[in-house]
Amino acid sequence: MSRAKLIPTVTALSRSSIVIPTDRLREVDPVAIGSIVRSIEEHGLLTPIIVRRLPKGRFELIDGAHRMAALKLLKLDDIPVRCYEGPAAAIRLIEIDANLARADLNDLDRAIHLAARRREYLAEHPETAQGKMGMAVRWDTSADSALVSFVTQTERQTGLSRRKIFKLIEAGEAINKTMAARLHAAPARTTLNDLLAFAKADPDLREDAVEAFANGEVKKLAQALKPVRHRPVKDPVEQQLMALRDAWARSSKAARRRFVAMQADDLAALLDAIDDEGADAP
């Protein structure tokens, strides 16, 4: 059971009294803000802002950054809210679940949010982190029934298999804040296949791969995650030697005799040079 408690007496706040944290999981989209502005103008604010009550009469935004930005553009200050209080992990789960419920969440944000949800869930329910067992094992135990229910819901919403959901979580856990910002700014969208490759990739390759993708050097992040296999540079003299050897081996005795007769002078000079090199050796 969540330790986040609804405060029914707080139903509206001034916009200036709500602090927007800087470490939010999802950046605001100007296009989405424009759509919300039009909706508020026509229908009013349909969904209240969710806030957390802090000490000394302060309030922190939990869910509704796009709505807050739209309200600011419309210069509306009396904001309907749902206000909660409780431990940070429990409150953070509200933000994460609200975002995960969105149909327009892309795969990159979904991976980041799924990883954050697992992290905050385990912080809120430390009893579910049993020893050092694998993630899939922990998530399937009866003690984790709420988390298993969440994964099942995610399967239905996204159409992803449970295995892919776990892989998205692995990818999300490997993407730090800097990587996330670079991936969001990349000219191409990060795909599900990119994220699955990211989860499996050598950690030493990830940062450079993100930069290559963000700079447009590769069209897909998965391309940059493949280890570079450098072929050994072949010695041209060695290649020619092998070709001569193979040609000699395939030739008949008669052909070899005629070749030696044709190249007698060159062969004699080469043999003399080899003898001289041997004589000069210490």
Side-chain angles (χ1 to χ4, degrees), residues 4 19 22 31 51 53 125 138 153-154 180 187 202 213 234 238 276 281:
V19 177
T22 58
V31 176
V51 298
R53 183 162 70 180
H125 302 281
R138 284 204 305 269
Q153 181 184 5
T154 304
D202 182 342
F213 180 66
K234 294 183 178 180
E238 185 72 16
D276 291 343

Side-chain angles (χ1 to χ4, degrees), residues 167-263:
K167 286 296 182 185
L168 277 175
I169 293 169
E170 287 182 46
E173 289 179 337
I175 297 171
N176 60 36
K177 196 168 184 178
T178 302
M179 288 179 179
R182 297 293 289 139
L183 290 172
H184 278 119
R189 175 168 287 192
T190 311
T191 66
L192 175 60
N193 286 338
D194 285 333
L195 294 167
L196 297 180
F198 196 88
K200 295 187 293 185
D202 182 342
D204 292 337
L205 297 175
R206 289 171 177 163
E207 189 172 342
D208 288 342
V210 168
E211 283 303 309
F213 180 66
N215 292 332
E217 296 172 24
V218 291
K219 292 183 178 180
K220 294 185 178 296
L221 177 61
Q223 289 177 266
L225 288 164
K226 294 178 181 178
V228 179
R229 293 180 173 86
H230 295 290
R231 293 182 178 179
V233 178
K234 294 183 178 180
D235 180 358
V237 175
E238 185 72 16
Q239 289 180 292
Q240 293 167 14
L241 174 62
M242 294 301 102
L244 287 171
R245 183 200 62 183
D246 292 343
W248 182 270
R250 292 194 301 268
S251 303
S252 65
K253 185 178 289 188
R256 291 177 186 177
R257 284 178 176 174
R258 291 180 63 178
F259 175 79
V260 171
M262 289 173 59
Q263 303 296 329

